[in-house]
């Protein structure tokens, strides 16, 4: 049965940039804290997938700091990419009196039952960065424009190869260029968005023969790396070099910096040197990969400012708890199989050696020393 705990009232007329507004149609989550108008001491559960990747550590710490700033108590947990661990952490948050949950899922389809428990106790749920699928108990979603992230990854691959110039215009270079394709974890809803966005850019060049995939592996299922594991990507890249019959690889579409590191290791072991490494993309602007970009190894990454994402999630929680309107800017894209989850999408930026200082250092995301 379709169900909506918060009525979505569209207060603005046009899409993304303007921001739509969802109206708190129930007092769910507006319990003690909301009624008194004070958030002091209200407990918020924050479930993050893993500490194996810097970005999720930064996400967790940002969300925690921003909630604490507003006077909330925070129960922050990382699940070591283990689904049963994440489920039991969320159960503990509920039992511990959480008044709202912010969840970055490992596998977006595995939380239905524990979220039913949250719903029975009127605890609002925000899906953080990754959509929670198959549950009508997700109130709001905040993320980046994930399809656009994929478009940016593919665009930077083409720019690095020289097929496009820095303005995104075709240069007339016709290759053919040999590329291999990687996708993210098939149980992460974002992975398909990244892939579809990237393929929308690459497919015409694959069709026209400007791009060629020596391994012949062009399906998402073949390209996907379960749990986004760098070692799995490294093993697959080693296999692809063999399957590709020794043809020189000019570019690799990689959807995440951790995978890019594994891919570059495989390429280096396979005989490529820093001077002739293929164009390798990425995502998240993790320190190791930005350093690799500066060293001329990885070509690009996609910067997603998790400070903004954290702020958005915290604002959503704070609005719900205080019975205020929740701002969203997308009410169409994220259908989780049960409901279309009202979402707030943020924008991402392509980073290369040419703009990393401006985007990452000048914005205060990293200090020059860290890089
Ligand atoms: C996130 C990406 C991240 C990937 C691996 C995705 O859900 O959106 O930013 O690279 O997970 O952690």
């Amino acid at each position: 049965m379709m169900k909506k705990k918060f009525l979505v009232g569209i207060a603005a007329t046009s899409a993304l940039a303007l921001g739509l507004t969802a109206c708190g149609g129930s007092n769910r989550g507006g319990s003690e804290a909301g009624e008194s108008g004070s958030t002091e001491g209200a407990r918020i559960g924050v479930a993050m997938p893993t500490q194996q990747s810097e970005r999720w550590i930064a996400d967790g710490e940002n969300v925690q700091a921003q909630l604490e700033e507003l006077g909330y108590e925070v129960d922050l947990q990382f699940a070591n990419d283990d689904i049963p661990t994440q489920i039991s952490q969320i159960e503990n948050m509920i039992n511990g009196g959480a008044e709202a949950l912010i969840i970055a899922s490992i596998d977006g389809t595995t939380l239905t039952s524990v979220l039913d428990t949250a719903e029975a106790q009127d605890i609002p749920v925000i899906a953080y960065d990754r959509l929670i699928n198959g549950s009508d108990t997700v109130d709001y979603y905040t993320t980046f424009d994930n399809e656009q992230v994929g478009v940016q990854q593919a665009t930077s691959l083409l720019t690095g190869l020289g097929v496009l110039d820095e303005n995104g215009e075709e240069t007339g270079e016709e290759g053919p260029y040999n590329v291999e394709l990687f996708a993210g974890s098939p149980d992460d809803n974002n992975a398909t968005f990244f892939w579809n966005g990237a393929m929308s850019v690459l497919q015409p060049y694959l069709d026209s023969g400007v791009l060629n995939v020596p391994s012949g592996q062009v399906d998402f299922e073949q390209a996907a790396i379960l749990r986004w594991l760098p070692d799995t990507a490294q093993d697959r890249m080693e296999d692809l070099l063999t399957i590709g019959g020794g043809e020189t690889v000019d570019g690799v579409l990689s959807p995440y910096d951790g995978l890019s590191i594994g891919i570059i290791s495989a390429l280096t072991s396979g005989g490529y040197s820093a001077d002739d490494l293929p164009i390798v993309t990425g995502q998240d602007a993790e320190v190791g990969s930005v350093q690799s970009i500066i060293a001329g190894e990885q070509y690009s990454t996609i910067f997603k400012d998790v400070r903004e994402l954290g702020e958005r999630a915290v604002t959503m929680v704070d609005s719900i708890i205080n019975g205020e309107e929740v701002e969203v800017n997308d009410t169409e894209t994220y259908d989780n199989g049960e409901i279309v989850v009202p979402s707030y999408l943020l924008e991402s930026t392509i980073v290369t050696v040419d703009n990393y200082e401006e985007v990452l250092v000048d914005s205060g995301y990293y200090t020059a020393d860290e890089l």
Side-chain angles (χ1 to χ4, degrees):
M1 190 184 63
M2 293 262 289
K3 177 166 42 106
K4 183 133 293 313
K5 283 76 137 248
F6 299 97
L7 299 174
V8 178
I10 296 180
T13 46
S14 79
L16 215 101
L18 285 180
L20 312 179
T21 307
C23 174
S26 115
N27 66 355
R28 203 157 77 82
S31 52
E32 303 105 67
E35 279 151 20
S36 67
S38 153
T39 54
E40 203 57 48
R43 203 170 167 76
I44 312 297
V46 180
M48 290 287 152
T50 179
Q51 279 173 305
Q52 295 311 310
S53 152
E54 277 165 27
R55 85 143 276 194
W56 296 112
I57 301 173
D59 284 273
E61 287 174 353
N62 272 318
V63 171
Q64 176 168 34
Q66 292 183 35
L67 283 169
E68 285 175 354
E69 181 101 342
L70 293 177
Y72 292 100
E73 259 184 44
V74 179
D75 181 2
L76 168 64
Q77 301 294 333
F78 294 89
N80 202 20
D81 261 341
D82 182 57
I83 295 164
T85 303
Q86 184 163 60
I87 293 172
S88 82
Q89 287 176 338
I90 296 171
E91 275 164 1
N92 289 340
M93 290 171 189
I94 296 170
N95 294 336
E99 296 202 25
L101 297 170
I102 296 176
I103 302 173
S105 55
I106 297 165
D107 176 335
T109 62
T110 55
L111 302 177
T112 311
S113 162
V114 70
L115 292 189
D116 285 346
T117 314
E119 172 163 52
Q121 300 187 30
D122 271 354
I123 300 169
V125 175
I126 309 288
Y128 183 93
D129 196 62
R130 296 174 171 175
L131 187 61
I132 297 170
N133 280 307
S135 168
D136 60 7
T137 309
V138 187
D139 296 298
Y140 295 100
Y141 178 37
T142 186
T143 187
F144 291 81
D145 183 341
N146 293 309
E147 180 144 1
Q148 182 61 17
V149 169
V151 166
Q152 290 174 325
Q153 287 167 338
T155 303
S156 72
L157 177 63
L158 293 175
T159 310
L161 290 171
V163 175
L164 300 179
D165 66 20
E166 65 276 10
N167 301 316
E169 304 293 332
E170 289 186 341
T171 59
E173 288 290 337
E174 291 184 344
Y177 298 102
N178 287 332
V179 297
E180 293 292 352
L181 310 172
F182 283 74
S185 190
D187 54 6
D188 177 345
N189 195 66
N190 289 350
T192 348
F193 276 79
F194 301 147
W195 176 262
N196 290 341
M199 291 311 272
S200 72
V201 174
L202 298 181
Q203 195 62 56
Y205 295 99
L206 290 165
D207 292 343
S208 68
V210 172
L211 299 181
N212 171 50
V213 180
S215 69
Q217 299 195 0
V218 292
D219 295 331
F220 176 83
E221 291 70 24
Q222 295 171 310
I225 301 294
L226 184 65
R227 294 283 121 71
W228 303 92
L229 288 174
D231 288 352
T232 313
Q234 181 166 345
D235 291 346
R236 177 165 183 261
M237 189 70 234
E238 283 167 8
D239 292 346
L240 292 178
L241 290 175
T242 309
I243 299 167
E247 282 207 53
T248 302
V249 177
D250 303 304
V252 181
L253 175 78
S254 166
Y256 157 53
D257 286 347
L259 302 192
S260 315
I261 286 174
I263 290 164
I264 290 170
S265 296
L267 290 164
T268 313
S269 325
Y272 289 81
S273 65
D275 296 339
D276 63 5
L277 273 171
I279 300 300
V280 180
T281 63
Q283 173 172 202
D284 290 340
E286 295 198 330
V287 169
S289 284
V290 180
Q291 288 168 337
S292 170
I293 289 172
I294 296 168
E297 295 161 357
Q298 189 170 321
Y299 176 72
S300 63
T301 187
I302 306 299
F303 173 54
K304 308 199 306 191
D305 193 333
V306 299
R307 295 171 301 189
E308 287 180 23
L309 186 62
E311 192 180 338
R312 190 48 59 183
V314 168
T315 304
M316 283 177 162
V317 161
D318 196 48
S319 300
I320 296 171
I321 294 229
N322 288 299
E324 293 164 0
E325 289 184 342
V326 174
E327 194 185 358
V328 296
N329 63 11
D330 183 294
T331 53
E332 286 170 9
T333 309
Y334 287 99
D335 184 341
N336 78 351
E338 289 289 325
I339 51 171
V340 178
V341 185
S343 307
Y344 196 102
L345 310 186
L346 296 160
E347 286 177 11
S348 51
T349 310
I350 299 173
V351 170
T352 66
V353 74
D354 295 328
N355 68 348
Y356 81 91
E357 278 179 312
E358 180 192 333
V359 177
L360 301 174
V361 181
D362 295 352
S363 72
Y365 197 77
Y366 292 129
T367 63
D369 285 352
E370 281 174 298
L371 301 178

